[in-house]
Amino acid sequence: MVSPAAINHEDYPADEGDHTSNNNDLIFDDYRGKGCVDDSGFVYKLGERLFPGHSNCPCVCTEDGPVCDQPDCPKIHPKCTKVEHNGCCPECKEVKNFCEYRGKTYKILEEFKPSPCEWCRCEPNNEVHCVVGDCAVPECVNPVYEPEQCCPVCKNGPNCFAGTTIIPAGIEVKVDECNICHCHNGDWWKPAQCSKRECQTKQNS
């Protein structure tokens, strides 16, 4: 019968040897403290740069394993239309260099008129800035809109209404047997001022 003491003292060195031998077999595949292994099984020496996993950011092989920097990547331009992720940080390869307005595209600094009363420009920030024409009150009661013109024009000059009759401004107009009318100066939208002087003169004579 073997005593526990004999087992502890006599067999332990042999066990330790066997254990060491087994450890040597394991150390062959365990690079901790000696190198780093990537996903494909490639071994890197201490101090070498590697890209473990699917990371595009470089890491350095240390005794504690790969140590990877987390860089502060610059923000991608909001107008970027082409981004590449080949490096550690995404890079903008193409920035939008045009404006879109009502379904059409315009070059940077290009000026255009989407309508007769709008003047627009494609700004460097890819936004369209427009100015809308502010038309003055026409000096006539029958203005017309010409093609490609923003504001209406008085083709026959200033005028006003005398009843239902349109009379030119600047002169007195006899509209019937008794009434002589003229337009208000500058207030073309107001009805004409009329008098019955000639009619009264004829009645008195």
Side-chain angles (χ1 to χ4, degrees):
M1 182 173 179
V2 180
S3 65
I7 293 174
N8 289 340
H9 293 289
E10 293 176 7
D11 292 346
Y12 181 73
D15 289 342
E16 185 178 15
D18 293 339
H19 183 68
T20 303
S21 174
N22 291 336
N23 275 349
N24 287 336
D25 292 340
L26 293 175
I27 288 174
F28 180 78
D29 293 323
D30 187 358
Y31 294 96
R32 285 176 295 182
K34 296 183 178 181
C36 303
V37 184
D38 64 10
D39 289 357
S40 63
F42 191 86
V43 180
Y44 293 84
K45 297 178 182 178
L46 296 179
E48 282 189 321
R49 286 163 51 119
L50 68 152
F51 297 85
H54 299 288
S55 172
N56 286 325
C57 295
C59 302
V60 177
C61 181
T62 70
E63 291 185 356
D64 297 322
V67 175
C68 307
D69 292 332
Q70 296 297 326
D72 186 12
C73 294
K75 292 183 179 180
I76 297 295
H77 194 285
K79 301 295 183 180
C80 186
T81 56
K82 184 178 179 182
V83 180
E84 286 189 359
H85 299 275
N86 295 331
C88 182
C89 291
E91 290 185 70
C92 179
K93 294 298 183 180
E94 186 175 326
V95 177
K96 180 180 175 183
N97 59 353
F98 59 89
C99 299
E100 295 182 54
Y101 189 73
R102 296 181 184 175
K104 295 183 179 181
T105 58
Y106 301 91
K107 297 178 182 179
I108 299 296
L109 300 181
E110 181 179 355
E111 296 183 354
F112 57 97
K113 289 185 66 176
S115 70
C117 282
E118 290 179 287
W119 291 266
C120 301
R121 186 173 75 166
C122 175
E123 301 293 345
N125 62 357
N126 304 106
E127 294 182 0
V128 174
H129 178 72
C130 294
V131 176
V132 179
D134 185 14
C135 297
V137 177
E139 296 182 344
C140 59
V141 294
N142 58 347
V144 295
Y145 285 89
E146 295 287 351
E148 301 303 320
Q149 287 191 4
C150 175
C151 299
V153 295
C154 297
K155 298 192 75 173
N156 298 317
N159 57 38
C160 67
F161 277 116
T164 58
T165 303
I166 297 176
I167 63 173
I171 59 173
E172 290 187 340
V173 179
K174 187 176 181 180
V175 295
D176 56 33
E177 290 292 333
C178 299
N179 293 296
I180 295 177
C181 303
H182 68 275
C183 297
H184 291 270
N185 186 24
D187 297 333
W188 319 112
W189 63 91
K190 292 183 179 180
Q193 286 182 320
C194 299
S195 63
K196 296 184 178 182
R197 289 174 300 177
E198 290 192 8
C199 183
Q200 291 173 354
T201 302
K202 288 180 179 180
Q203 288 177 352
N204 293 335
S205 56

